[in-house]
Amino acid sequence: MQFKSNFFHHSSTSLLIKPFYSSFFCTKSLTINTTKPFILKQCIALLQSCASSTYKLRQIHAFSIKHGVPLNNPDFAKHFIFFAVSISGKMLYAQKVFDQVHSPNIFTWNTMIKGYASSENPRPAIDLYNEMRRKRVDSDTHTYPFLLKAISKLLDVCAGEKVHCDVLKNGYGSLVFVQNGLVHMYAVCGKPESAQKVFEEMSVRNLVTWNSVINGFALNGRPDEVLAFFKDMSDEGVEPDGFTMVSLLCACAELGALALGSRVHDYMFKVGLTENLHTVNALLDFYAKCGRVREAKKVFDDMKERSVVSWTSLIVGLAVNGVGNEALELFKKMKMEGLMPTEITLVGVLYACSHCGMVDEGFVYFNEMREKYGIVPKIEHYGCMVDLLSRAGKVRRATEFIQNMPLNPNAIIWRTLLGACSIHGDLALAETSRAKLLELDPKHCGDYVLLSNLYASESRWTEVHQLRATMAKEGVRKTPGFSLVELRNRVYEFVMGDRSHPQDEEIYLMLSEITKLLRLEGYVPHTKNVLADIQEEEKETALSYHSEKIAIAFMLVNTLPRTPITVIKNLRVCSDCHLAIKLISKIFDREIVVRDRSRFHHFRHGSCSCRDYW
């Protein structure tokens, strides 16, 4: 036996283990006159009794050394390493023991792979598997689920694809728990199509399979596919669980599918999932992202147990819905509850200050991060501060803040400044920001659009055309704007000038009616940002057919009077649409909630919750 350690000194160990082993041995001392097989059985029995004590595990190790039970005994080694991994969770100790085993069997290899897969550093699981292959140790049905779990945590899709090949080559490709591991691995590694392909090839599927593929599309921002898979799952009679609900609620939040999400809430209440912290947190987040602050607050108030995630979700939800004061009050209550804010919580707090114009308060909280909570600000926190100054029109001060940052500003920070320059008309700073973005992210279409907006507002059409020519040359395409609305459990998408809907005629008749009524209210279109050198009348027509206006017209045609309307917009709402929707809410006596790229706008009685500050 080569393994030695200070805590295995025999004279001290005898004193430690005597009371612990007295119930197992009917002898008066530790000198056991029996055969080694009997001692081996006793060691294994002791292992099974030591519960969660690493200290007792080491005592058993010492006892086995003293009484000649070698670790290269396959039966003892597999039990010892299993308990070393299960009890201590400290893979360094388990690895030292594993290294003493001359010929570990597949159970022992799997145990080590499983241990690393569950640890903070799963990389050695892949190294062990590669070592197994070099030593020509045949894998079994348990090897791949553990290995794929490690790969999923590492997000190493290349390693996952190699293991997938081994799975097929070794004949394990039809086992449901191996296939589930593959679906999950591809999903979390950003390959939802590969996950779907494995899913479709499966002859047997269980709830884990459905959850893995649904979660995969949810993680990768594909809410339409999430809803489609959930429908197929329901059609096959598979009952969802809490994991399904979380993915489904994330998809509903992304699409603004309020009615469907509310049905999910009813189902959760029916089956008792409203006691599950993770699902309730997802429910809270869903209502907040659908602009239903009242419902989000009720979910929060009804929670019997709250985590930091619960508090953070509501703080952010209140902030993006324009009630920053309530968000900050909630943050104070969270601290009174004795909960320590996380980095994400502070992002939410700074976000609240940013979207409500609380510049001084924002800097107080930013300075408290390090001084009071010991949180070193990250790039996201610096980004919030740049956004805070930019929204307040303090673009020069924002520029100085960026220049004095201890971190290198990323493209998002420079883009935030560029957007502020576009809104506040600072062309010189806008061109400086654009120059930085050309270095960091030269093909982002949004940067071209922001600068084009600014040039167009100054009627500098030559520069607008030059930017368009550059976009065409570089192969940069503008992200098309679209708006989503939900009607009778179905989500409808509209783009600018959309004529594809079956109710096309009714929608455009309503748009004409809206335009006429807006004129009577004194509405004058904001045409300065239309990116074309065309006649004023043509610009006004183009503005009339923005996607959010078409979506609102569709809902006015198809819903009862005074019914609230919710629109999800993928881009920032333009100033003309913002003005028009304020008046539409007054003319038709409707509450209209618009979620754009950065926040919510609650339009009521001719005014907006953002107070024209967005």
Side-chain angles (χ1 to χ4, degrees), residues 106 110-111 113-118 122 125-126 129 139-153 163-164 167 172-185 208:
I106 187 58
N110 287 345
T111 301
I113 291 172
K114 178 184 179 182
Y116 278 118
S118 301
I126 300 176
Y129 175 70
S139 55
D140 69 3
T141 56
H142 297 285
T143 307
Y144 294 111
F146 301 147
L147 183 60
L148 289 166
K149 178 181 177 181
I151 292 169
S152 299
K153 289 177 72 173
V163 169
H164 192 174
V167 165
Y172 296 116
S174 61
L175 298 178
V176 67
F177 42 88
V178 175
Q179 291 172 318
N180 283 346
L182 288 167
V183 171
H184 176 70
M185 182 273 295
V208 174

Side-chain angles (χ1 to χ4, degrees), residues 335-355:
K335 291 188 292 182
M336 289 173 61
E337 292 282 334
L339 292 171
M340 182 62 68
T342 65
E343 297 170 355
I344 300 173
T345 312
L346 268 299
V347 168
V349 169
L350 296 177
Y351 198 89
C353 295
S354 174
H355 282 259

Side-chain angles (χ1 to χ4, degrees), residues 543 546 548-549 569 572-579 614:
L543 289 170
H546 277 192
E548 51 267 60
K549 289 176 182 171
K569 171 82 175 181
R572 185 180 187 273
V573 174
C574 74
S575 56
D576 178 75
C577 285
H578 193 269
L579 172 62
W614 89 104

Side-chain angles (χ1 to χ4, degrees), residues 276-487:
N276 182 300
L277 182 60
H278 296 295
T279 56
V280 178
N281 281 340
L283 183 65
L284 192 163
D285 186 61
F286 154 72
Y287 279 123
K289 286 182 177 176
C290 285
R292 293 297 186 262
V293 176
R294 190 183 301 107
E295 289 84 346
K297 288 164 69 175
K298 186 176 187 309
V299 169
F300 181 84
D301 291 339
D302 291 344
M303 292 175 73
K304 294 179 180 177
E305 177 188 0
R306 299 181 188 125
S307 65
V308 174
V309 173
S310 314
W311 290 87
T312 300
S313 296
L314 188 55
I315 287 168
V316 174
L318 292 171
V320 298
N321 280 280
V323 279
N325 286 317
E326 285 191 39
L328 297 179
E329 284 299 317
L330 189 67
F331 178 59
K332 292 174 185 176
K333 289 181 182 177
M334 173 185 165
K335 291 188 292 182
M336 289 173 61
E337 292 282 334
L339 292 171
M340 182 62 68
T342 65
E343 297 170 355
I344 300 173
T345 312
L346 268 299
V347 168
V349 169
L350 296 177
Y351 198 89
C353 295
S354 174
H355 282 259
C356 297
M358 301 175 181
V359 177
D360 294 336
E361 293 88 339
F363 273 92
V364 169
Y365 286 117
F366 182 76
N367 293 329
E368 283 184 348
M369 283 182 63
R370 194 190 301 265
E371 298 168 4
K372 196 170 182 178
Y373 307 115
I375 297 173
V376 178
K378 292 189 174 180
I379 196 72
E380 294 85 359
H381 303 102
Y382 285 101
C384 285
M385 299 309 292
V386 173
D387 188 55
L388 172 67
L389 292 168
S390 298
R391 287 179 186 276
K394 303 177 185 294
V395 290
R396 295 286 168 178
R397 190 176 166 191
T399 305
E400 292 174 7
F401 184 86
I402 293 171
Q403 291 169 345
N404 293 321
M405 281 172 52
L407 304 175
N408 291 326
N410 59 15
I412 295 172
I413 285 179
W414 286 112
R415 190 166 295 124
T416 300
L417 184 62
L418 175 59
C421 292
S422 177
I423 293 168
H424 298 290
D426 194 322
L427 185 57
L429 264 182
E431 290 176 334
T432 301
S433 303
R434 175 64 182 140
K436 294 290 186 181
L437 286 164
L438 284 173
E439 298 173 11
L440 297 169
D441 190 6
K443 293 193 175 183
H444 192 283
C445 67
D447 303 335
Y448 289 90
V449 173
L450 288 171
L451 197 54
S452 294
N453 279 340
L454 190 48
Y455 284 139
S457 68
E458 300 287 331
S459 297
R460 294 175 60 169
W461 301 111
T462 301
E463 285 87 345
V464 171
H465 295 316
Q466 286 174 347
L467 277 175
R468 285 183 172 178
T470 303
M471 288 179 71
K473 181 180 177 182
E474 298 293 332
V476 179
R477 294 186 177 182
K478 180 181 178 293
T479 301
F482 63 81
S483 295
L484 305 175
V485 287
E486 183 191 26
L487 180 68

Side-chain angles (χ1 to χ4, degrees), residues 94-135:
Q95 184 68 54
K96 285 182 177 179
V97 176
F98 180 79
D99 291 341
Q100 306 303 310
V101 184
H102 298 306
S103 299
N105 59 21
I106 187 58
F107 178 89
T108 310
W109 284 98
N110 287 345
T111 301
M112 290 297 294
I113 291 172
K114 178 184 179 182
Y116 278 118
S118 301
S119 72
E120 293 182 358
N121 178 25
R123 175 64 61 181
I126 300 176
D127 298 334
L128 280 170
Y129 175 70
N130 292 333
E131 187 181 348
M132 269 180 63
R133 295 183 66 198
R134 285 194 300 272
K135 292 184 176 181

